[in-house]
Amino acid sequence: MFYLTCVCGAGGTLALYSLLCRHADIQIIPNQHRTDEKLTTYSRSTSHEKSFAAKTKRLLERHAFTKNAILMLVLVGTCMVIGDGILTPAMSVLSAAGGIKVYRPDLSNEVVVAVAVVILVGLFSLQHYGTDKVGWLFAPIVLLWLLLIGGIGIFNICNHGSTVLKAFSPVYTYRYLSGGKEGWISLGGIMLSITGTEALFADLSHFPVLSVQIAFTLLVFPCLLLAYSGQAAYLMNNLDHSQDVFYRSIPDRIYWPVFVVATAAAIVASQATISATFSIIKQALAHGCFPRVKVVHTSKKILGQVYSPDINWILMILCIAVTAGFKNPSQIGNAYGTAVVLVMLVTTLLMILIMILVWRCHWILVVLFMGLSLIVEITYFIAVLFKVDQGGWAPLAIAGAFLVVMYVWHYGTVKRYEFEVHSKVSMAWILGLGPSLGLVRVPGIGLVYTELASGVPHIFSHFITNLPAIHSVVVFVCVKYLPVYTVPEDERFLIRRIGPKNFHMFRCVARYGYRDLHKKDDDFEKKLFHNLFLFAKLESMMDSCSDSDEYSLYGQETAESRESLNNSANNASLMDPTFSSVDSVVSVRSPSHVNRKAQSSGHASNQTEADEVEFLNRCRDAGVVHILGNTIVVARRESSFYKKIVIDYAYAFLRKICRENSVIFNIPHESLLNVGQILYV
């Protein structure tokens, strides 16, 4: 009747998708660069080109259909998890509140629903405090809950007969399932007894693997077995109590204490799935699969604990609607079972690809895993199909609505990115403008935000074509998310120079993992300028010793260079002259060697370095302007009717109601400059 779900900090299907994207080029938006593979958290392995893994990799990368099919599979699993975040609080709280009616049969069902709604409103109203503030209560409540249901199970087994333990024999399982269609249909309800266990594996981002294994093996699993066995023993003598067997089987002396603990445990389970929904929404944002919503960290210690106020109130409304609409925990249970089976099925299919591409398992082992897993899960899936008309349609409807939103947003994002790639400005055009770019260079620094990690975006040419002036220093800022869970702070920023030095144009790529959060404070801008100034210093140091190959290594990055950069400012800085087709990674053998070489070349380099840094400082003091593109995406006239509906109406509506980039980056209005343009896709 009740179940426990752990906090899904890892994000399940999206985490598996990110792992696949690192080992195969299946990402729809190809914004990765080969320098990203040098991250300490970016691990990928290579295989022989004739191996089974390599053949599978080429098959997935060859066709756009397979890439989209994998993405749709991931989105379906993600939407089902979001459905869990709606159904779990509704079912848990409504089931717990049902104990009132068991003790007071004269009360109407509307009273139970009203109590459940009040608890749900209070639960969602406290979400902004974060799990970290109240998480210290979770472990004692869950421990007490498990011990209570285990103890009650032992009590019922002793009082009503231990013959129920014969049910562990596979013989009785065979007889039960071979008895007819009813036995197979009942598997849809039996599915509820194992829901929540799959979330234990998603909790590995918060706890060590061994701790989860020990907790499940020695505590959770035995207590659940005792609880269900005790309820079965009770039903052997009280078949008319099958609808509310849990509360009926509780001894009268401890009824109300167990009711209180059950309600608290239901809140903990609900809190866990709600936090999981926030986490997976955050990861969907990082993959460009969900409209921009506000996401904040609620814990300074645990990276995965986030909160989204927009999603929180949407979940609350949907939870209340499900609770008030069904009014029956059994129907909500049918809906929950459908969602859980689909999540497990999607996870298994992704795990098959993980075993082939990442773990390099032998094909025989893959076939064994696929056969055993799919036999069990497809059996349960067929069973829950019989429950669709009894409430199982709810998660399908909820997941369908979220799937449309996520697919439309991702489709529009891909089309916009493709337009940006095809319409970016060539370096020949930039170089033809000269150092002043054909305009008046006014004091200050212009931060031009773009989604392109390479090349000059179309927004820049649109800007300088319509305005007669540009700032003395121009920095193209690209904030991109990589298919890794986190990017270390000392490897986050990449600084490159665009064109000759007298152009004073740079590119800054800020890289984040799907669990990282772009902070809404001045920290980002300070770190950007810190890395920019460090780049200018390192560039001058490299120029001073450019006559010796001993200290200047191009096209590779050595351990000494990373140590040198980390010792300087804990940063990996790259110099990429965009008039060259090859990225040049500046690597310094050691700071002392460079300093001696620079000193031997005289004071010219020091003067150049001082002038460059001083110039950047003067420009920053003169003012920083954030230039954002306010783009309107419109389908072309010759586009299909389907595309016009998706782009001109659905995607336009989502862009209108989602948060602006200026809010995400916390840009002050007085230093914000929006550049409007229309993109025909």
Side-chain angles (χ1 to χ4, degrees), residues 39 445 447 473 475-478 487-497 505-512 522-541 557 562 564-576 586 609 612-613 616-617 620:
L39 290 170
I445 297 180
L447 301 181
V473 176
V475 181
F476 297 100
V477 182
C478 173
V487 175
E489 285 285 345
D490 58 343
E491 303 177 46
R492 176 151 297 165
F493 289 90
L494 297 178
I495 305 294
R496 305 181 179 101
R497 183 182 291 278
M505 297 175 63
F506 303 88
R507 174 177 293 110
C508 172
V509 180
R511 304 175 295 182
Y512 290 86
D522 297 331
D523 191 48
F524 177 79
E525 185 175 316
K526 290 179 181 178
K527 289 182 178 179
L528 189 153
F529 287 123
H530 171 74
N531 285 271
L532 181 61
F533 295 154
L534 176 63
F535 170 80
K537 295 178 181 179
L538 291 178
E539 189 182 35
S540 300
M541 293 167 62
E557 184 176 9
R562 181 171 292 280
S564 172
L565 299 183
N566 287 341
N567 291 337
S568 299
N570 293 327
N571 175 60
S573 295
L574 298 179
M575 182 175 66
D576 179 17
V586 179
E609 173 187 335
E612 179 79 8
V613 176
L616 293 175
N617 269 315
R620 183 178 63 174

Side-chain angles (χ1 to χ4, degrees), residues 430-469:
I430 296 293
L431 294 174
L433 297 176
S436 65
L437 302 179
L439 304 169
V440 177
R441 301 296 293 266
V442 298
I445 297 180
L447 301 181
V448 183
Y449 290 83
T450 174
E451 296 181 1
L452 299 179
S454 62
V456 178
H458 179 263
I459 182 180
F460 181 71
S461 64
H462 185 70
F463 176 81
I464 64 177
T465 301
N466 292 275
L467 291 178

